[in-house]
Every structure is written in C-alpha cells, then in structure tokens.
Amino acid sequence: MTGMERVRDEVLAWLRSAARLLAAAATSMVALVLLLAFGIGLVLVPVFGLGLPVVAGALGAIRMFADRHRLEAGSIRGTVLGRVYVSEPAAHPRALLACLRDPQTWRDAVWLAVHFLFGQAVIWAVGAMLVEVVPAILVSGGDVITNIVLAVPLLLVAAILWWSVPWLVRGFAVLARAFLGTPPGSAALRIAELTESRAATVDAQASELRRIERDLHDGAQARLAAVGMTLGLASQALRTDTRRAGELLEEARADAGRALAELRDLVRGIHPPVLADRGLAGGLEAAALLCPVPVHVHVELSGRPEAPVESALYFATAEALANVGRHSGATTVRLRASHDGRVLRVLVADDGHGGADPRRGTGLRGIERRLSAFDGALHLSSPPGGPTELTMELPCALSLPRTTSSSATA
C-alpha cells in the first residue's frame, strides 16, 4: 500500500468516526424521549392500566434502539455483543412484570441516560468550538497578521479533533458494551452461548455431512459406477474381441485409481494426514504454504491437543489465511500459536488494508461457528487502513507429551 493510499484510508476512517460521533449526538434526544416514555408509562400503570400499552411500546422501541447500538458497538470493537432478554414486552400485566424483573431492562434504561449525557456533551463541545472559532473568522477581515494568529488555534482545534474523535467513538462503544452487552459470567449469557454453540455445531455437522454426501455422489460413487459398467462391457467383449476387452479393463483400472484418489482427498478433508503425522505445528505450516502471501510461522506448544481440537484450529486457520489471500491486499502475514496452560491461541496478523467485518462475508462467521463447537472464541481487530489481527482461542489441555516448537517462513 502506497503512502497516499494509507493517508486516504486514515482520512476515510476518521470521517467514518466523525459520522458515528455526530450520529450519537443526534440520537441522544431519541434516547431521552424513549426514557421519558418509559417513565411516564410506569407512572400511568396504576391509573386503570393506561400505562400498559405505553410501557410495552416504549420497551419495544428501547430494545430496537439498543439492538442498533449493539450492532454498531460490535462492529467498532470487532466483536458481537450478546443480547439476552428473559421476556418480551406486551400490553399485559404479567408480561410487563416479567420485563421489569429483567436486569437487562434496567441496564437499557441506564444506557439511555448515559447516551443522552454523552450526546449532549458532544453537542456542547462542538458548539463551544464553533462559538470560539466562527466569530474570529468573521471579524478577521482578511488581515494577514490576524489570519496568521488565527491559524494557530485553528490548527490546535484540528489536531484535537483528529486525535479525540476516534477515541470518543471507541469510548462510546465501550459504554455500549458495558450496559448493552450481557454481563460476563452471567447464567443467562452462558445459557445463550451454549444454545448458540449447540445450534452452530448441529448446523456445521449437517453442512459437513451434506458436503461429504455430495462429494461421494458426484465423485467416487459416479466413478465406481462407471467402473462397474466398464467391467460389464469388458466381460461381454471377452467372447468376441479380446483387444477391446483389454482396453476396457485398462479404462476401468484408471477409473478405479481416480476414484481411490478422490476418496483419499475426501478423507484428507475430514482429517488431514499432516495432523496425524506432524501435529498442529506441522498442519499450520502446511496451511501457510498454501497461502499466496508470505507467512512467518512461529509455533510454541509443549504438547498436542486432542485430534478434534487440532482439526478445528487447522481448518479455521486455513480459512483465515485464505481470507488474507483473497481480500486483504497484504504483503506479509504473521502466524503464531501458543498455549498458556489453559487456552490454545492462534494469531493470524497481516499488514493489509483492514476493514474486515464478520457481517459482510461467510468466512469469518464460519470460523466462529467452527470454534464455538469447542467453546472457543474469535477476536478480530481490523480498523480501516489495517493492520488486521485475528485471534482464535480454544480452551483445552495438551494431552500428548510431545514438544513441538517451530519457526519458519512459508
């Protein structure tokens, strides 16, 4: 990437951050209106139930508003914010009571207040800058000395904005994660994670079975059927034309060899032989060799995990490297694997143009589903302009007492 392209990407990233900050300021009044509607509805509930539809409508709107900011904060932080509500709002006393007992309802309400205060602070800061700068520009009258003096505070304001806007956006995302994301370690989050993981595992297994069935049907099965037909023709030709029979037998032998090769490829796709022979370190090096971008590999493992974990990380890493080759525009990649006694981590980092987003493709979502089957996690940092760092984590023990340490460039 050239210097001008990098500057362009940085400017575009800043403009996106500024747009997000202005959007947060603009929607702060929406947050206040929703919070007031919720409060007024609660006050009106005892009055012949008049507040029930107001509270139900306000809660529905609040959750839609919160979902929008969960999605936005997740894209900024490179993760997905959990959404767990124990009930759905409805204009019924029992439904209302269940919503009021839901801790996330009150965390959403606090978020509305925080959002309002944050947006008003941004508006006040922008207004203060305009009040100070705009009159000075208007009264400068084109005087050279005045313009030079004025340029100093303008440059200072520009520098402050250039530095502070991205940080304010990240801070806003942190606040959203604190109030809108499900608290770490909560039972509701764990149930949701396990439910999602089980669904992802079932989907992944069903998809894998369909792939195997399709490959068998279109590949080895079709070739073996052709072998059977060719052998039948050869059997008939033996009575009248031995030369033709020999040609048919040779054709059947070639088809049988191709069917055997396809079966080997199919088995290799289920569990690559390199994992059985050389473990995860060898598998990662083999995956790096297939990447069109030079990959610096460094693996430090004091043993080997179980075979399913090795296979999951191998295929996840292969998918990550394939994404780098297809989309990143990178010139070099770092691939590191380590184990801290509890969690096995694989880092794939490139110097490409960044901007990776799980919502815009199936590759990263496929990696997430593969890891979630083993209670693993995917962490992504990919700001526009790069670099991109993708970290895959799987909690596991290294059960086989082998020492694998490698460092190479593929």
Side-chain angles (χ1 to χ4, degrees), residues 20 66-81 111 169-170 172-178 180 359:
R20 282 170 167 164
D67 287 341
R68 175 68 184 85
H69 283 85
R70 284 188 186 94
L71 186 64
E72 183 73 12
S75 66
I76 295 171
R77 302 287 296 174
T79 184
V80 177
L81 298 188
W111 160 248
V169 171
R170 294 189 187 100
F172 189 64
V174 169
L175 290 173
R177 183 175 185 176
L180 300 182
R359 297 174 301 171

Side-chain angles (χ1 to χ4, degrees), residues 1-144:
M1 179 182 296
T2 64
M4 289 298 297
E5 290 175 339
R6 190 172 295 276
V7 170
R8 181 201 62 192
D9 289 342
E10 290 179 356
V11 171
L12 291 175
W14 186 89
L15 291 175
R16 282 190 288 267
S17 296
R20 282 170 167 164
L21 192 63
L22 292 176
T27 56
S28 62
M29 293 305 300
V30 177
L32 179 61
V33 170
L34 291 175
L35 187 60
L36 289 176
F38 178 56
I40 292 172
L42 289 178
V43 172
L44 292 177
V45 166
V47 185
F48 304 107
L50 294 178
L52 287 177
V54 177
V55 174
L59 284 177
I62 288 172
R63 293 185 179 186
M64 292 177 60
F65 190 70
D67 287 341
R68 175 68 184 85
H69 283 85
R70 284 188 186 94
L71 186 64
E72 183 73 12
S75 66
I76 295 171
R77 302 287 296 174
T79 184
V80 177
L81 298 188
R83 181 189 188 274
V84 179
Y85 292 103
V86 299
S87 61
E88 293 299 323
H92 188 276
R94 289 184 180 178
L96 174 61
L97 184 60
C99 287
L100 295 180
R101 289 174 176 172
D102 188 347
Q104 188 59 49
T105 297
W106 300 105
R107 296 175 75 233
D108 288 350
V110 175
W111 160 248
L112 293 176
V114 171
H115 186 181
F116 170 73
L117 295 175
F118 182 90
Q120 294 303 303
V122 171
I123 294 173
W124 177 86
V126 173
M129 289 183 183
L130 293 177
V131 168
E132 292 294 331
V133 174
V134 172
I137 295 175
L138 295 176
V139 302
S140 64
D143 183 78
V144 176

Side-chain angles (χ1 to χ4, degrees), residues 271 306-313 374:
H271 188 76
E306 297 296 329
V309 173
E310 281 189 336
S311 182
L313 275 175
F374 298 89

